[in-house]
Amino acid sequence: MKTIDELLADGVSGKRVFVRADLNVPLADGTITDDGRIRAVVPTIKALADAGAEVVVASHLGRPKGAPDPAFSLLPVAERLAELLGTPVAFAEDTVGPAAHAAVDGLEPGQVAVVENLRFNAGETSKDDTERGEFADQLAALADVYVGDGFGAVHRKHASVYDLPARLPHYAGYLIAREVGVLKKLTDDVKRPYVVVLGGAKVSDKLAVIDQLLGKADRLLIGGGMAYTFLKAQGHEVGISLLQEDQIPAVKEYMERAEKNGVELVLPVDVLVSPEFPDLKTKAPSEHTVVDADKIPADQEGLDIGPKTRELYASKLGDAETVFWNGPMGVFEHPDYAEGTKAVAQALIDSDGFSVVGGGDSAAAVRTLGFDENAFGHISTGGGASLEYLEGKTLPGLAALED
């Protein structure tokens, strides 16, 4: 896989460079609430612009249905990118149409343009190779060179991720190169003890990665909504907590395999429960109590790990040499149920080991809860991509960047 350093060494002055970024940031009423993914691609864009390239930045945002939708416009992203770069950024109101060509044609060496949301075009996500290829041809007409730097999208077989690199000389940007380098530390020659913390809502989202980790990790710490399926598999009452009953057989099998393989699988010993889900908009105080994990009342819902579990998980992380964390421990968006996620984040900071925060809600939680991102070994920009890499899958966007 060629990297941007090789491209820069060959010279890019006056060349149009198409940067496929992942600028899929959360928005609230048109305002960006977490700009982490924008900041992550700035080094690549700045290096190209400083070297005299005419930089064309493209990304998806949200899930528009193959047609323009103002709610998913990249305009706020382009404005924030301009602030971070400290230079004007042109914005095209379409992706491959007249506005895009006008914006690109108007670029001078060292200037940057952002084209509108790639998913406003049905060809971007089409499962039909021909339709996807036709859209990739239109994108290729905008540039001379392709730089892939949208790690959060490399697990998608989309036109701008998979088909476009085949049509242009292609290189990996700084972000992708770093992401892949970090993930190799979790799969090749891992320093031990290797501890994995998995949370989030659905156990079904994590089954494949658990399957792989049972042969690689030394400990698995389970939290979040998925923990209640594990507790149910042990025969415990989980009340009205999030539960995937259809996954109980698989969970039981994994628990048996963990014991057989000598992998320590650690579940919550106490949880915070409430009779109703909290209001995440007003964040009004929520009625809750702490109960042992095997004594959840039938009319209560588990919403976070309890204080004993926080201490337990911190102790299990204390001697770790390598840690991968994906998924919050509770409903961290509400202050009453954020302590479990805070405790895991702090334990990673306190550990002397190499810690990787696996994107998605975990990365959002780190920033939302006010932690210093530099205190962690690495914060991934791609939750789904990180998990699929650890599952051992071939990621289309990475395969496309290989020579």
Side-chain angles (χ1 to χ4, degrees), residues 151 155-156 183-184 186-188 194 196 198 202-216 226 254 257 324 326 358 382-396 398:
F151 181 75
H155 59 315
R156 306 296 188 191
L183 288 172
K184 283 183 176 179
L186 303 179
T187 54
D188 305 334
Y194 178 20
V196 176
L198 295 177
K202 295 181 179 180
V203 68
S204 56
D205 294 341
K206 308 287 168 67
L207 286 178
V209 76
I210 292 173
D211 184 62
Q212 287 292 315
L213 291 170
L214 286 177
K216 295 176 180 175
M226 62 184 288
Y254 284 165
R257 273 181 54 199
F324 175 71
N326 182 279
S386 297
L387 288 176
E388 291 197 17
Y389 189 98
L390 294 183
E391 289 167 20
K393 290 184 178 180
T394 297
L395 305 188
L398 295 185

Side-chain angles (χ1 to χ4, degrees), residues 228 230-239 267 293-295:
Y228 303 102
F230 279 83
L231 291 171
K232 186 71 171 181
Q234 288 185 323
H236 302 313
E237 170 66 58
V238 297
L267 297 177
D294 59 354
K295 293 183 173 60

Side-chain angles (χ1 to χ4, degrees), residues 7 18 21 194 307 354 362 383:
L7 172 60
F18 187 102
Y194 178 20
F354 179 69
S362 306

Side-chain angles (χ1 to χ4, degrees), residues 1 20-24 37 59-60 119 124 146-163 165 171-173 175-177 179-180 183 380-390 393-402:
M1 184 186 294
R20 202 320 182 171
D22 177 12
L23 306 176
N24 185 28
R37 286 182 169 177
S59 176
H60 68 288
R119 290 186 183 174
E124 169 68 0
Y146 177 92
V147 171
D149 216 28
F151 181 75
V154 294
H155 59 315
R156 306 296 188 191
K157 193 176 182 180
H158 290 170
S160 66
V161 175
Y162 178 74
D163 302 273
Y171 302 81
L175 175 61
I176 279 187
E179 292 273 11
V180 172
L183 288 172
S380 178
T381 57
S386 297
L387 288 176
E388 291 197 17
Y389 189 98
L390 294 183
K393 290 184 178 180
T394 297
L395 305 188
L398 295 185
L401 292 175
E402 298 287 350

Side-chain angles (χ1 to χ4, degrees), residues 109-127:
Q111 294 183 339
V112 180
V114 172
V115 297
E116 186 55 285
N117 194 333
L118 291 162
R119 290 186 183 174
F120 285 2
N121 302 75
E124 169 68 0
T125 59
S126 176
K127 296 188 184 305

Side-chain angles (χ1 to χ4, degrees), residues 65-78:
K65 301 185 183 300
D69 184 338
F72 298 108
S73 174
L74 279 173
L75 178 57
V77 172

Side-chain angles (χ1 to χ4, degrees), residues 314-326:
S315 70
K316 297 296 182 181
L317 289 163
D319 66 344
E321 289 292 331
T322 305
V323 181
F324 175 71
W325 171 32
N326 182 279

